[in-house]
Amino acid sequence: YGLITSLSGLGAIETAYLSWIKIFGGSAICPASGPGHGCNDVLNSAYSTLFGTPLSLIGFVAYSSISLLGFSMIQSLFPEDDVRWLLLGGTTALVSASSYFLYLLTFKLENASCAYCVASVLLSFGLFISTLKGFKWKDVPRMAGLQLVIGAAVIFTLSTGFAAAGPALAGSSEDIDLPPIEPEVTTSSDATKMSLAKHLKSIGAKMYGAFWCSHCHEQKQELGKEAMKILEYVECFPDGYRKNVKTAKACEAAKIEGFPTWIIKGEKYSGELSLEELADAAGFSLEK
C-alpha cells in the first residue's frame, strides 16, 4: 500500500502540473522536437480533452483518489477487503485508459513524442500490478468480471468522447517545410533590461531557441530588441525546419531539450524566464 500511495502520488503531481498548464496557459517542459510533433502538441491536440474536460484533470482526480485509498490502508481507516476491490477497479480503469491513449499516440498522433504520456502509462501499469498482489487465486473469476466491465466502460466512454475529434495535429512530418524566418522583435528595451543584457553577455550566458517557437519570441519581446542585439542567442534551426532536419551542432552539444533554454553560469534553465529569474540566475541586481 505504501508503493501504491507513492506511485499514485507521482501520477497526481504529474497531472496536476499538466492541468495547471492546460487551464492557465503556458508550455510544458519536454524533450526537443519539431513543430507539431512534441509533447505540447499532444497535450493541446484534439485528444487532450474529454467532453470539454482536460484529460490531465481527470487523471489528477483518478491518481489522487487511488493515493488516498492507499494511504487509508496504511492507516487502517477502512476494511481492507473493501478497499482492495476499489483499488482494483480504479487501477483497471487507469490501465484501460492508458492503453487506449497509447493506441492514440501511436496511430492517431503520428508517433508524436510525449514523455508525460509514457510516464503515465508506466505508472498505471505499476499501480495495476501492485494492486493484484493483494488477491488470491479464488478471487480470479470475480476479478476478471469486474475488470471486463470497467475496461469496456472506459474504452466505450473514450471512443464516444473522441468520435468527433478533428485532425489530431496541425500537420504531418511529410508536409512541414518552414523557412528560417524569425518574427520581428517589436518591443524596446529600457535601461534595466539593457544593463541585464550586458551583464548576461559579460558572464557568457546564452539563450537557445527556435525561430518557430512562440515562447522564444515572447522571451525576446520581454527583453526588447536592443537587449537582444547584445545577448548571445543561438538559433537551433538556422536552415529552417522540414522532415529529418537536425538541430544545430551547438544545440546538440549543449544537449538542449526544449525551447527556449538558457545556460547561465553553467546551469541550464528551461522555458521563458522573467527578468527577476534571469537576474537571480546571473547574480545581477535589478535595483542598480
Side-chain angles (χ1 to χ4, degrees):
Y1 294 118
L3 179 60
I4 290 173
T5 303
S6 299
L7 289 177
S8 53
L10 288 174
I13 293 172
E14 177 196 17
T15 48
Y17 168 66
L18 297 178
S19 296
W20 178 272
I21 291 174
K22 185 70 175 178
I23 295 172
F24 296 101
S27 178
I29 300 172
C30 54
S33 58
H37 295 82
C39 59
N40 280 299
D41 299 284
V42 174
L43 297 172
N44 291 294
S45 71
Y47 297 104
S48 64
T49 59
L50 184 66
F51 302 117
T53 303
L55 279 176
S56 54
L57 185 58
I58 297 174
F60 172 72
V61 173
Y63 279 119
S64 298
S65 298
I66 292 174
S67 183
L68 289 172
L69 285 173
F71 182 74
S72 72
M73 292 309 302
I74 296 175
Q75 300 296 320
S76 300
L77 299 178
F78 303 106
E80 182 175 6
D81 190 59
D82 294 341
V83 176
R84 280 194 302 117
W85 287 101
L86 287 174
L87 284 172
L88 179 66
T91 56
T92 297
L94 275 177
V95 164
S96 300
S98 294
S99 299
Y100 188 83
F101 297 146
L102 196 59
Y103 155 75
L104 292 177
L105 189 65
T106 303
F107 297 102
K108 299 293 186 179
L109 295 169
E110 306 170 2
N111 281 309
S113 173
C114 181
Y116 297 105
C117 306
V118 175
S120 185
V121 169
L122 295 175
L123 286 172
S124 297
F125 276 89
L127 284 167
F128 178 71
I129 293 171
S130 300
T131 303
L132 292 178
K133 185 178 179 181
F135 291 90
K136 299 178 181 179
W137 282 108
K138 66 178 182 179
D139 298 319
V140 170
R142 186 181 172 191
M143 291 169 58
L146 176 66
Q147 292 171 315
L148 182 61
V149 170
I150 291 178
V154 169
I155 299 301
F156 175 78
T157 301
L158 293 175
S159 300
T160 302
F162 295 139
L169 296 174
S172 68
S173 58
E174 299 295 332
D175 58 21
I176 290 180
D177 188 358
L178 301 178
I181 301 175
E182 293 189 35
E184 181 183 358
V185 180
T186 58
T187 57
S188 298
S189 308
D190 58 22
T192 299
K193 294 177 181 179
M194 291 290 289
S195 297
L196 175 59
K198 292 176 182 178
H199 180 76
L200 288 167
K201 174 72 173 179
S202 70
I203 62 175
K206 295 181 181 180
M207 174 186 168
Y208 295 80
F211 68 91
W212 44 260
C213 168
S214 61
H215 294 285
C216 299
H217 181 63
E218 289 170 6
Q219 180 75 89
K220 296 175 185 177
Q221 288 283 89
E222 170 69 16
L223 290 163
K225 55 186 176 182
E226 293 84 4
M228 285 307 304
K229 290 180 180 179
I230 298 173
L231 286 165
E232 187 167 357
Y233 171 73
V234 181
E235 172 58 55
C236 291
F237 292 90
D239 299 320
Y241 181 83
R242 60 191 61 83
K243 184 181 179 181
N244 297 324
V245 73
K246 293 184 178 180
T247 57
K249 291 184 178 180
C251 299
E252 289 185 0
K255 298 181 179 179
I256 303 302
E257 298 181 344
F259 306 116
T261 292
W262 288 88
I263 295 183
I264 305 173
K265 292 185 176 182
E267 295 292 328
K268 190 178 294 184
Y269 303 87
S270 299
E272 295 177 56
L273 299 182
S274 65
L275 294 180
E276 291 74 16
E277 289 172 325
L278 282 171
D280 184 61
F284 177 81
S285 175
L286 291 176
E287 297 179 357
K288 289 183 178 180

